[in-house]
Structure formats: C-alpha cells, structure tokens
Amino acid sequence: MSEDLSGAVFLIVWLLGTQTESLPVIRAHYCSTPPVIDGVLEPAWQEADSATGFIQQIPENGRPASEPTTVYLLQDRHNLYIAFRCPVSDFSQVHDRLSDEPDGVRVLIDPFDDNVNAYCFIVGFNGVESDYRITGDGTAYENWDGVWRSAVRRHDWGYGIELAIPFRSLRYPPARTEWGIDFARYLVRRGERSFWSRHEVTGFRVSRMGRLTGIQPAGRGLGLELYPVGLVRHEQLVLSHAVGSDALGAEAGLDLAWAPTPSGNLQFTLLPDFAQIEADPYKVNLSRYELWLAERRPFFIEAVETFGGSYQPVKIFYSRRIGRPLPDGRAVPILTGVKWTDRLGRGQYGLLGVLTGELADEPQSFYSVLAARHQILGNSELGLLYAGKDNRQFSNHGLALDGIWRHRSLTSRLFLCGAQYGDSLDYALSLEGSYQSDRLSGELVVRQIQPEFNMNGPGYTTWRGQYGTIYLGPVVYNRGILRYGAFQPGVELNREWDYPARTFDRRVFVNLSAQTLSQHLLTIWTGYGDRWALEHRFSAGNAGIYYVTDYTRPFAVSIYLSYETRSANYRRLMIAPVAQMELTLQGRLGDRLLVWYTHSATVEADSLGRVSRQDLTSVLRPGLEYSFSSKASVRLSLETVTAYDPETGLQSFRHYLFGLYSWTFAPRSNFYFATNWGYDAGSLNAIFVAKVRYLFNI
C-alpha cells in the first residue's frame, strides 16, 4: 500500500472515530408469557439473556462495581421487559428517602442506534420513577414523560427491580433489529455510578453504550393517545380590604398524540391549559437585557432536541414567547398548536405551528418552526432550523445552519443564522470548540451578532456585538481527597455595537473547581479587566465562591458569594460596587419530609461605594415538601421579596404563598390542586386551581 493511500485510510478512520474496544452485547429473547411486574424476579427470568460485570464510571473509573448487579431482558410483541437483581452487602448504606435522590438503577436505550440520543428510565429503591431524554452524545438532557411501569421489592439478599417499557412509548426505525442499550446502578452514599458498558471518567456517552440484538417489536395499533383536561379556577382580587374582582370558571381542553409510524409522532392541542399559577422565581436583574426563563410546559418540552434543543448559540426559537405574559400579568391565550416529529434513516425532522389569540396590544399571531438534522461522520450532525412569527403588525423569520462535529474528546460547532424583521435583514455567527479529557479541559467561543439581527418575535435576541473567550487548564480525577479538580485560566473580549470605535471589554479570569471524595463541592472564581458601559470606561475586578456540603446527609448547606468592585447597574443607571449572596439550608426529617430555607440578597452601593438600607434586595424562600408515596406529594413554599423600586426610588414589599398537592394515579394521568396567594402594593390576589388530566391509550 502506498504512503498516500495508507495516509488516506488513517485519516478516514480518525474522522469516523472508529472504536477498537468491543462493546458488550445482550439479546432480547421472546417470552410467550410476560413476567409479572412486582419486583419478585420469578423463574421466568432464567430464560432471559443477562448482563453482568458492571464497571465503575466514578469514583474509581474502570474498576469493578463495589456491589454486583445482574440484569435480565425479555421481549414480547408489545413490551420490553427488564429486571435488575441488586445484591446489598449493608442495607444501612442504602439511600432510600422519598424526599431525596435514592439508590437505584437506570436503563438507557438508543433505538435509532445514532450514538447521539437516548431514552433514560430511572427507578429508585424507594419506588420513585423518572425519565428524560439524553441528547448531544450525553452532553445535554431534556425533559420527557413516557408511559411505562416498574416495581421494586426488598429481599434478604438485596432488592429486585422490574420494568415494562411498551414499544409504543418509544420512537424507533421499524426495520432495525439492533439498538444501543446500557444499564446503570447508582450508590448515592458512596458516590458510585457503575455501568454495564465502560465509560470514561469525564462522563457518560451514548456512543459507548452496549448492543441490544434480536429486537422485534410488533404492530403498534392505532398509536393514538387522548388527553382530556378539565380545570376549575377561582380567582379573587382584594384592593384595600375590598373585593376588586371575584371570578369562578371552568375550562376544558384536549391534547392528542398520534404515532402513525414507529418513528413518527403528531401532537395536537386545542385550548390547552398552559397557564402556570406558580410564578417564576424572583430574580434581580441589573443588566439592560430581559432575563431568560426556562420552559416548563410539556407540549414544548417533548422532542425539544429536534428544534435546536435547550441550548442554541443564537436563540432563534424561544418557546416562552408563545403565550407570553403581558405587563398586566395576563397571558396571551394559546388557541391551538400542532407538532410533528419523525426520524428517517439518519435524519430527524420536525414541524411546529401554534396560533395565539388577541389580547390587549398583542394581535393574533402564528408561530412556525421547521427543523431538519442529519447525522454525518459517525455521530456528528448537520442541521437546518427555521423559526417565524407572523401577525398584522410585523413578520419575523430566521433560518440557521447548525453543524456539530464530535470526535472522542473534541467537539466543535458552527451556527450561522440570517434574520428578517420587517424590512431589515442581518446575520449572526457562532463558532465553538471544546476539549475534555482526564487531564485537560478547554473551550473556545467566537460569536458575532450583527446590529440589525432581530429574532425577538419567535426567538430571544438581546445582546448584539462581537464576543470571544478561551480557557485551557489541567484537570485531575481521584487524586488524594479529590474526586475531581480543575484549574481554568482564560481571557474574554466583548464589544457591543453601541460602543465607541475600537473599544472592547477585556478581562482575564481564573476558575477553580473541586469535588471531594466526601461529595463536597467548591468553586472559586476571580477576574480583572476594563469595560465600557453607561458612557464610561472603567476597570473592575470580581471574585466569588460557591460551596455545597454532602447532599446525601440529613442536613445540607450551600452558600454563594460574589463581589464586583465596579459594575454597570442599569436599574439605577450608575457604575458602582455590587455584592450578592445566597444561603440555602436543607434538612430531611425521616424518609418523607424535606424542608428548606433560602435567603438571597443583593447589595447595590452608590458610585462612591456607600450603602443604605434601601440598597438591599432581599428574597426569603422557606418551604417544605411531604411525600405520601412515590406517586403523591404536597408542597408549600413562601417567597418574600424586599426590593428597590426604580420608579419611586424606595423599597417595595411582595409576598407569595404557593401550595400544591399532586397525585399521579396512572401513567401520564394526574390530579392536582394548587393555590397561589400574592400580596403586592396593598392588593391581595388569591388563585385556586383543581385540574385532572387522564390518558386514553388506544
């Protein structure tokens, strides 16, 4: 073989990231009589193929798990059945509180075998179930709510866990008989995570999961899911000890999901109940930009990775714009919505359309999102994303090209987007690269968002300018008392378009992170530089610390402290010192009760560094949660805010009391009763809501 040809072969192998390490394999045997899901582990499981030899991912990477685990797997026409046999040498070391994350197991399934995305099913020793979607080859996690069931049973030798996962709950290619799969066991007090397949100490990766062969799902029937929703809401507003308004109303809505193919899913919602009576937590905002708020509505969360995921370098789609709250507190009504997602070959595709109603100055609007992603070079990706908002006042559309390249410890991303808002056209560009190994970590980000780039209709565009940052430093694992340690020095440059010509913010920084073997976490950061803001050039330094004690103990503490010698305070339009603090105390009383108290404070000095009482913003958040079982709980929380009012220049006081009883009585079927009492500026607003949602699976 010539040198040129051998070099080309080496390059191809390197680009594809071919793995030389063999992956474990388990076969799905067919069972004519399904096992009873009760945690007993009846003799039928002896006919199943099994997985053993779990390997620690942390703390002692590559060593055998400290407790042996055996997993059995069966299938019939409609379900995948999985059983865990988990021996326990000392039950006093098992973490099983309902009020906390317990010891337990995980099942991870990659039906498309794309080495990027996976379903994760979690069952704790205390019977608590949860699930989510893994994206980005294990680097990101998205909420998901699947239909499946499990059972846990304690035995003299340990505990058994059984799961039944319907094929109709998963999206999969109909002709593929081999999937990616992995199993995990977590021992919380030991800080141990062990997997069937070997994973690096730097983290779990979908691309390193084992193989599931012989999988043969049968037909899915109609694949139709109906979710009728009924809601009763009572709202009362009291002004100066007199009733300002008193309203009682009943609402009904319908959510429909149809899976015409094993890989496709169509969701439709009519007059949905997307209102949140639990307000977003109060946050101090001293910048000149609006805050980013996390999405919590199931219709928008499911399959979010198809539409760019929760992380977009330039956010051309921001689902919280849909049904957004207005300044008077009312939310723009959502009339109807439809969402389609599908997987064809190595590609995934999505369509989202939502119609919102007219309210106050917000006209009736139509939001549209289209997405297409295709895998290339192993588990790398190339995608297109479109988002738009149209109404009688304006139109706003954006189209982005998104490329992600992954190779072992390296990840890079190119995001190029063009936007139209009214008569203006402009673009945004982001380049990112990261490296993560067991000895070194680093990241490079370069970003430019043009002055006329605007995606604030369906997306989120605040900052516009040029930005660049780089850090690179050593990391250590399992050395001395450290489970993990990192030293990250770096530099940062930033320029917004309203700065004077050739003016940049410049900063050098150092971040230190450490996690001990006893599960204490410490992060320290400091930096110094100069910047431009409020028509002034100034130099400033900053420092901070974040510390968390072992969360597995009955009592835990976390503390956050930060200080900036000079900062641009856009709430008071001055350049002055700012200090922030947050203290959280958390205690577990028995197995079912969790109580907490959080106190956060922000101190805004004046330009001469002087502080008065009205310069303090204080937020108190005590609360408790009691778990009746793994399916039912009640939560009470209070938020008291003492804050600076920029309109009056004085302090204002707000109080919120929130209560919630929730009961999941069947998969994706729940009942809740909630109340929210808010007191602000002499007015009392009380809301009571009772809601029932039930799944009809056809």
Side-chain angles (χ1 to χ4, degrees):
M1 182 182 292
S2 68
E3 290 184 2
D4 290 342
L5 182 57
S6 62
V9 171
F10 174 81
L11 178 62
I12 292 173
V13 171
W14 182 78
L15 285 173
L16 294 178
T18 303
Q19 295 179 328
T20 58
E21 183 179 349
S22 61
L23 299 173
V25 179
I26 188 171
R27 184 170 184 81
H29 291 170
Y30 185 85
C31 61
S32 56
T33 302
V36 178
I37 305 301
D38 56 6
V40 172
L41 304 187
E42 61 265 36
W45 288 110
Q46 301 306 314
E47 304 299 321
D49 199 0
S50 61
T52 58
F54 279 43
I55 303 169
Q56 291 187 46
Q57 189 256 324
I58 60 170
E60 299 180 81
N61 183 258
R63 297 195 62 181
S66 61
E67 298 276 17
T69 304
T70 303
V71 181
Y72 305 95
L73 190 145
L74 292 167
Q75 67 171 328
D76 62 14
R77 291 173 52 83
H78 304 292
N79 298 284
L80 192 65
Y81 301 100
I82 300 168
F84 285 79
R85 190 180 193 275
C86 302
V88 175
S89 57
D90 183 0
F91 267 107
S92 67
Q93 295 300 308
V94 175
H95 200 63
D96 62 348
R97 295 185 179 95
L98 285 172
S99 59
D100 193 18
E101 179 185 356
D103 284 18
V105 302
R106 283 163 167 76
V107 177
L108 305 110
I109 302 176
D110 175 11
F112 289 90
D113 198 21
D114 60 14
N115 294 319
V116 177
N117 307 298
Y119 296 93
C120 181
F121 303 85
I122 305 172
V123 184
F125 175 63
N126 56 14
V128 174
E129 300 172 347
S130 60
D131 50 33
Y132 56 83
R133 291 270 294 153
I134 301 173
T135 63
D137 194 15
T139 60
Y141 302 87
E142 309 289 357
N143 290 329
W144 182 66
D145 186 14
V147 177
W148 54 287
R149 55 196 173 95
S150 70
V152 182
R153 182 71 62 92
R154 177 170 173 165
H155 304 272
D156 293 339
W157 45 263
Y159 58 93
I161 295 180
E162 294 177 314
L163 301 87
I165 303 174
F167 290 121
R168 67 188 303 167
S169 294
L170 307 176
R171 303 290 167 256
Y172 57 87
R176 182 176 290 276
T177 60
E178 185 172 317
W179 294 358
I181 197 167
D182 211 341
F183 312 104
R185 183 174 175 186
Y186 281 34
L187 306 179
V188 173
R189 284 185 177 164
R190 299 181 188 179
E192 180 180 320
R193 294 201 299 258
S194 58
F195 289 84
W196 176 49
S197 186
R198 179 167 182 171
H199 295 269
E200 298 298 329
V201 69
T202 52
F204 167 83
R205 292 291 179 265
V206 177
S207 54
R208 297 186 65 87
M209 287 167 50
R211 318 300 305 155
L212 170 61
T213 63
I215 199 75
Q216 294 180 332
R220 300 166 61 92
L222 290 178
L224 188 64
E225 297 178 353
L226 298 176
Y227 303 90
V229 179
L231 180 144
V232 177
R233 180 185 181 105
H234 179 214
E235 184 168 359
Q236 186 179 69
L237 177 63
V238 179
L239 300 173
S240 300
H241 307 290
V243 176
S245 63
D246 193 345
L248 175 65
E251 301 175 18
L254 177 67
D255 295 337
L256 180 148
W258 178 42
T261 67
S263 61
N265 186 42
L266 175 67
Q267 291 179 269
F268 174 77
T269 184
L270 177 66
L271 300 176
D273 167 40
F274 283 159
Q276 294 177 197
I277 73 162
E278 182 181 9
D280 292 298
Y282 179 86
K283 295 182 180 180
V284 176
N285 184 12
L286 305 183
S287 74
R288 56 174 170 169
Y289 303 123
E290 66 172 309
L291 293 173
W292 169 273
L293 299 175
E295 181 59 82
R296 294 189 279 180
R297 299 170 293 182
F299 179 81
F300 297 106
I301 288 175
E302 189 165 346
V304 68
E305 71 275 6
T306 303
F307 302 98
S310 57
Y311 173 69
Q312 302 168 54
V314 181
K315 300 173 178 64
I316 73 167
F317 176 54
Y318 177 39
S319 59
R320 287 292 296 260
R321 295 285 188 221
I322 304 175
R324 67 185 182 92
L326 299 179
D328 62 6
R330 294 181 297 169
V332 175
I334 297 177
L335 303 180
T336 187
V338 62
K339 180 165 65 174
W340 166 259
T341 57
D342 205 345
R343 298 286 298 264
L344 299 174
R346 296 178 65 82
Q348 59 187 83
Y349 308 92
L351 177 150
L352 173 70
V354 179
L355 180 66
T356 60
E358 185 170 352
L359 182 65
D361 295 332
E362 177 75 11
Q364 186 177 86
S365 302
F366 181 70
Y367 294 82
S368 54
V369 185
L370 297 171
R373 304 187 72 82
H374 192 79
Q375 280 189 256
I376 58 174
L377 300 176
N379 66 343
S380 299
E381 300 175 70
L382 185 63
L384 287 173
L385 178 64
Y386 159 84
K389 177 182 179 180
D390 294 274
N391 57 44
R392 65 174 181 269
Q393 294 180 355
F394 68 89
S395 64
N396 188 190
H397 306 97
L399 180 65
L401 172 68
D402 186 14
I404 303 174
W405 177 68
R406 301 183 182 95
H407 177 73
R408 297 180 182 173
S409 300
L410 283 169
T411 301
S412 60
R413 185 171 190 174
L414 165 68
F415 196 92
L416 176 63
C417 178
Q420 167 270 325
Y421 189 96
D423 296 329
S424 67
L425 292 170
D426 224 324
Y427 75 92
L429 173 67
S430 176
L431 296 170
E432 301 178 12
S434 65
Y435 178 83
Q436 182 74 41
S437 73
D438 59 355
R439 295 184 178 182
L440 192 68
S441 70
E443 184 177 46
L444 170 68
V445 177
V446 178
R447 193 165 293 154
Q448 177 162 319
I449 300 180
Q450 288 293 98
E452 298 299 319
F453 183 90
N454 189 341
M455 283 299 296
N456 280 324
Y460 177 89
T461 308
T462 53
W463 175 91
R464 296 174 179 86
Q466 297 170 317
Y467 174 81
T469 185
I470 184 173
Y471 74 81
L472 182 67
V475 296
V476 296
Y477 290 91
N478 301 319
R479 184 173 299 178
I481 65 170
L482 291 180
R483 173 171 296 167
Y484 167 79
F487 174 74
Q488 299 170 334
V491 297
E492 184 180 65
L493 294 174
N494 175 68
R495 179 176 186 270
E496 300 186 51
W497 296 118
D498 58 356
Y499 287 12
R502 296 183 296 278
T503 299
F504 280 84
D505 298 338
R506 298 168 295 185
R507 190 171 75 96
V508 295
F509 61 86
V510 174
N511 298 330
L512 295 168
S513 299
Q515 184 179 12
T516 68
L517 295 176
S518 57
Q519 305 199 69
H520 290 242
L521 176 66
L522 175 66
T523 301
I524 300 173
W525 61 93
T526 185
Y528 184 82
D530 54 79
R531 62 168 301 190
W532 173 271
L534 296 171
E535 304 299 322
H536 287 82
R537 185 78 176 176
F538 61 95
S539 298
N542 73 293
I545 183 172
Y546 177 64
Y547 174 68
V548 183
T549 63
D550 181 1
Y551 73 95
T552 68
R553 300 300 178 184
F555 181 75
V557 178
S558 70
I559 185 168
Y560 167 88
L561 298 170
S562 73
Y563 177 71
E564 295 181 75
T565 59
R566 302 185 79 193
S567 176
N569 187 334
Y570 283 90
R571 184 160 72 166
R572 304 193 184 201
L573 299 178
M574 66 174 64
I575 297 170
V578 173
Q580 292 182 308
M581 177 276 291
E582 182 171 285
L583 172 68
T584 298
L585 308 176
Q586 180 175 283
R588 300 175 186 87
L589 306 179
D591 295 337
R592 300 176 181 270
L593 181 61
L594 175 67
V595 296
W596 65 88
Y597 172 82
T598 297
H599 183 196
S600 59
T602 300
V603 180
E604 306 167 59
D606 65 14
S607 58
L608 298 178
R610 298 172 301 191
V611 177
S612 64
R613 183 176 179 180
Q614 69 180 31
D615 297 325
L616 172 67
T617 298
S618 174
V619 182
L620 304 179
R621 295 191 184 99
L624 63 87
E625 182 169 6
Y626 183 82
S627 300
F628 300 99
S629 68
S630 61
K631 307 292 186 183
S633 65
V634 62
R635 177 159 57 99
L636 294 173
S637 61
L638 174 68
E639 182 177 81
T640 298
V641 180
T642 304
Y644 171 79
D645 187 342
E647 295 183 1
T648 64
L650 302 174
Q651 283 186 319
S652 62
F653 302 90
R654 280 169 273 182
H655 309 277
Y656 302 95
L657 176 64
F658 177 75
L660 172 67
Y661 170 78
S662 62
W663 173 36
T664 302
F665 54 87
R668 284 191 179 178
S669 303
N670 50 64
F671 165 80
Y672 80 62
F673 175 80
T675 181
N676 190 355
W677 296 66
Y679 179 81
D680 184 6
S683 65
L684 175 65
N685 188 26
I687 304 174
F688 302 88
V689 173
K691 175 182 173 182
V692 177
R693 184 174 189 259
Y694 186 75
L695 165 63
F696 291 94
N697 210 331
I698 303 173

